[in-house]
């Protein structure tokens, strides 16, 4: 962790964030990078979610990118992936950041399925307020979509941003899920390496 001042709780009604007040920049500055194929144990101070308010549950942290659990998930395992550098929109990322985002979207997707057991998911990326971008720092949402009809809930459906039911992340469940995701990422990277895909 760095000696930066603690972040203020996220307020979705606040005006667009500048880098010094951006919650994703605060996460990026507060969590050092680690080798995704060999993540630190969940007990490591480098992964302490309480370093920020609200807590941040980091699952991937490279020199260029960071991925973490959404604090208001649409479903269990809802992840956010963003560049460490403050970039407002997708068109602002560098070519190397775009390439690394693409690689890790695929890896995170496979790890998400493995960690949650949910075989269907959305990848969503919004650009600007009119497109429902709430935090003014480019990010991708990876959202598991469990089958709800199989449980007899025929009148329910998942909706996209702004209309779905979002509940605050439970810290104990989030810590356990983040650990499963980090381990799943490492396993996916190991498998991909053996297949020569990375």
């Amino acid at each position: 962790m760095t000696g930066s001042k603690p972040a203020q709780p996220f307020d979705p009604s606040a005006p667009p964030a500048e880098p010094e007040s951006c919650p994703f920049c605060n996460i990026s500055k507060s969590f050092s990078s680690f080798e995704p194929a060999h993540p630190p144990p969940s007990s490591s101070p480098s992964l302490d979610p309480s370093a920020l308010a609200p807590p941040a549950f980091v699952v991937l942290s490279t020199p260029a990118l960071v991925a973490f659990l959404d604090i208001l998930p649409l479903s269990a395992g809802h992840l956010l992936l963003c560049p460490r550098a403050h970039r407002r929109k997708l068109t602002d990322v560098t070519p190397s950041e775009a390439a690394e985002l693409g690689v890790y979207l695929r890896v995170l997707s496979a790890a998400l399925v493995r960690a949650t057991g949910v075989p269907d998911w959305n990848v969503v990326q919004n650009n600007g307020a009119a497109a429902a971008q709430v935090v003014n720092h480019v990010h991708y949402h990876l959202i598991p979509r469990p089958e709800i009809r199989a449980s007899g809930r025929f009148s329910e459906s998942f909706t996209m941003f702004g209309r779905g039911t979002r509940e605050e992340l439970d810290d104990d469940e989030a810590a356990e899920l983040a650990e499963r995701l980090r381990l799943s990422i490492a396993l996916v990277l190991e498998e991909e390496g053996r297949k020569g895909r990375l």
Side-chain angles (χ1 to χ4, degrees), residues 125-189:
Q125 197 279 314
N126 304 315
N127 290 283
Q133 182 180 9
V134 176
V135 176
N136 205 19
H137 183 132
V138 66
H139 58 284
Y140 287 85
H141 294 260
L142 290 88
I143 309 161
R145 294 300 191 170
E147 177 55 63
I148 59 176
R149 291 176 298 265
S151 64
R153 300 183 311 192
F154 297 104
S155 64
E156 293 182 42
S157 65
F158 278 115
T159 57
M160 292 311 291
F161 297 91
R163 296 177 191 86
T165 301
R166 299 181 82 161
E167 295 181 15
E168 286 190 25
L169 190 62
D170 177 84
D171 288 355
D172 293 332
E173 291 174 10
E176 182 182 313
L177 181 55
E179 176 70 5
R180 283 199 324 265
L181 282 160
R182 285 189 295 273
L183 294 175
S184 294
I185 291 165
L187 288 171
V188 168
L189 290 170

Side-chain angles (χ1 to χ4, degrees), residues 45-132:
S46 66
L47 291 174
D48 182 7
S50 64
L52 294 172
F57 296 90
V58 173
V59 302
L60 174 82
S61 188
T62 74
L65 308 176
V66 64
F68 45 93
L69 293 172
D70 192 306
I71 62 170
L72 290 171
L74 285 167
S75 63
H78 183 163
L79 290 175
L80 302 178
L81 171 66
C82 66
R84 285 184 176 277
H86 189 78
R87 311 278 189 233
R88 293 178 182 269
K89 295 183 178 182
L90 185 57
T91 51
D92 298 327
V93 303
T94 67
S96 64
E97 288 167 336
E100 193 166 340
L101 285 163
V103 167
Y104 279 106
L105 276 171
R106 188 173 162 281
V107 169
L108 286 169
S109 291
L112 191 60
V113 169
R114 180 176 289 213
T116 64
V118 177
D120 299 323
W121 70 100
N122 291 111
V123 174
V124 179
Q125 197 279 314
N126 304 315
N127 290 283

